Amino acid sequence: MGKSERRETKEFYILTFPWIVTFIFLSLIPLLYGFYLSFTNYAGFNFDSVKSVGFRNYKNVFSDNDAMYSLGRSFSVGALNVFFSTVIGFMIAVLLNNNFKAIGFFRSLYYLPAILPITAVGLMWKNIFSDNGLLNDILHFIGFNQVHWLGYDHATLSLLILLCWGCGGGIIIYLAGLKGISQELYEAAAIDGAGAFYRFRVITIPLMTPVIFFNLVFGIINSLQLFAQTTLLTSNSGLMGVPIRPIYLYLVHTYQQIFMFQRYAYGLALLWVLFIITILLTLIIFGTSRLWVHYETGDQKGR
């Protein structure tokens, strides 16, 4: 190893050392301590009498009907949210990649929901979806019957609309990826007679697959961690309330067990089950990325 390489290696360890120390003390140790407590009878204030209960908390997770129901709802709502936010976000980003008049205003407009506080967004959409809200006023004005958007039949649809409205963060990432595609590729394809749709299919989509892959992974992680949106939408007690059954998601159930019923050890077991599921889904996405993620550099497809 030469002098230059030794200096670069030293700089690497010096620059990464603060992050490593922070990660160990603020993330890794609490994570492992929580994993340990999930095997005990920890109830919040019983440190003197904490004892191991083996896998009892984890067995209770899979025999808890509410936990399994909320996990199923999290999967279904999360899958729809990832699909719609990915497709809609990508298509809007393609539109915003053009040089229309006042395009900067529209880009800012679509990104605005992503920076608003979740609490404000939840309360705003709750008012919009209420029986006397803006959406029903519009339906009544154009001659349609009013819809009980926050009832059992339409609560899931209302939640998906709320989530898709906030996909601006993904749009910005898609837009950055689209800006990185060389115009020479489109010009060469146009000279060869390729139409707009063909150029989109063989140039835009393949070169955007790394960005789609990134948004897909983070979309899955965020969708499995939905909490505030569903609670604020149908509960009358804010974050402390319980949403109606169709949007009773896994983290809502976990929050109820930990903070409402003081079942801390059981709540930690619930969180570790979700953590393992998230890791498995992420590994599956990474494993399949070799088949559909395209990189421009040589043969590094999917890596």
Side-chain angles (χ1 to χ4, degrees):
M1 181 181 293
K3 185 177 179 181
S4 175
E5 291 179 339
R6 286 198 300 271
R7 187 181 69 250
E8 289 180 358
T9 303
K10 184 178 179 181
E11 290 172 351
F12 169 79
Y13 285 115
I14 291 175
L15 291 174
T16 56
F17 182 73
W19 182 89
I20 293 174
V21 171
T22 304
F23 172 74
I24 290 174
F25 286 97
L26 297 183
S27 298
L28 185 60
I29 292 177
L31 193 69
L32 295 177
Y33 188 57
F35 184 63
Y36 158 72
L37 290 177
S38 68
F39 291 96
T40 69
N41 64 339
Y42 177 59
F45 300 99
N46 62 333
F47 280 109
D48 296 335
S49 59
V50 169
K51 61 180 181 181
S52 174
V53 296
F55 287 91
R56 189 178 71 188
N57 290 323
Y58 288 91
K59 291 178 181 176
N60 289 340
V61 171
F62 295 100
S63 61
D64 183 348
N65 291 331
D66 287 337
M68 291 297 100
Y69 172 82
S70 62
L71 184 61
R73 295 304 299 172
S74 289
F75 279 142
S76 57
V77 171
L80 291 171
N81 177 46
V82 170
F83 175 77
F84 287 121
S85 61
T86 300
V87 174
I88 293 174
F90 184 54
M91 298 312 297
I92 292 176
V94 171
L95 292 175
L96 294 177
N97 192 37
N98 293 287
N99 292 319
F100 297 130
K101 189 176 181 180
I103 191 66
F105 167 76
F106 288 103
R107 288 172 181 168
S108 302
L109 188 65
Y110 277 99
Y111 185 64
L112 184 63
I115 61 175
L116 292 177
I118 292 178
T119 305
V121 172
L123 294 176
M124 181 190 74
W125 278 101
K126 183 177 182 178
N127 285 321
I128 292 174
F129 285 131
S130 66
D131 291 341
N132 298 318
L134 176 64
L135 197 53
N136 273 329
D137 287 343
I138 294 174
L139 291 176
H140 178 71
F141 179 76
I142 59 179
F144 288 95
N145 294 326
Q146 292 186 342
V147 177
H148 187 34
W149 293 100
L150 301 180
Y152 277 75
D153 294 334
H154 300 94
T156 304
L157 174 62
S158 301
L159 177 61
L160 290 173
I161 293 173
L162 184 157
L163 295 173
C164 289
W165 183 77
C167 63
I171 292 175
I172 290 297
I173 297 173
Y174 283 128
L175 198 54
L178 290 168
K179 290 294 182 186
I181 299 177
S182 173
Q183 290 301 312
E184 294 177 354
L185 296 174
Y186 293 109
E187 292 170 0
I191 292 173
D192 290 339
F197 178 76
Y198 187 79
R199 295 197 298 270
F200 177 75
R201 187 171 65 84
V202 300
I203 297 176
T204 304
I205 291 180
L207 294 182
M208 284 295 292
T209 50
V211 181
I212 296 173
F213 169 73
F214 175 84
N215 276 341
L216 181 63
V217 171
F218 275 84
I220 291 173
I221 294 172
N222 292 330
S223 295
L224 291 176
Q225 296 178 354
L226 289 174
F227 168 69
Q229 297 92 331
T230 177
T231 305
L232 291 169
L233 201 57
T234 58
S235 167
N236 292 322
S237 304
L239 294 175
M240 305 295 288
V242 181
I244 61 175
R245 203 66 175 166
I247 55 174
Y248 185 77
L249 304 185
Y250 191 77
L251 271 195
V252 176
H253 182 68
T254 303
Y255 182 89
Q256 292 294 314
Q257 298 303 310
I258 294 177
F259 296 104
M260 295 293 107
F261 304 114
Q262 284 78 48
R263 301 178 68 188
Y264 290 92
Y266 178 61
L268 287 168
L270 285 167
L271 290 175
W272 267 97
V273 169
L274 180 64
F275 177 73
I276 293 170
I277 291 172
T278 304
I279 292 293
L280 290 176
L281 291 176
T282 304
L283 289 176
I284 291 172
I285 297 298
F286 268 88
T288 60
S289 67
R290 293 176 178 272
L291 303 175
W292 61 275
V293 178
H294 172 80
Y295 291 103
E296 291 184 82
T297 52
D299 59 351
Q300 295 180 357
K301 188 175 182 180
R303 290 181 288 179

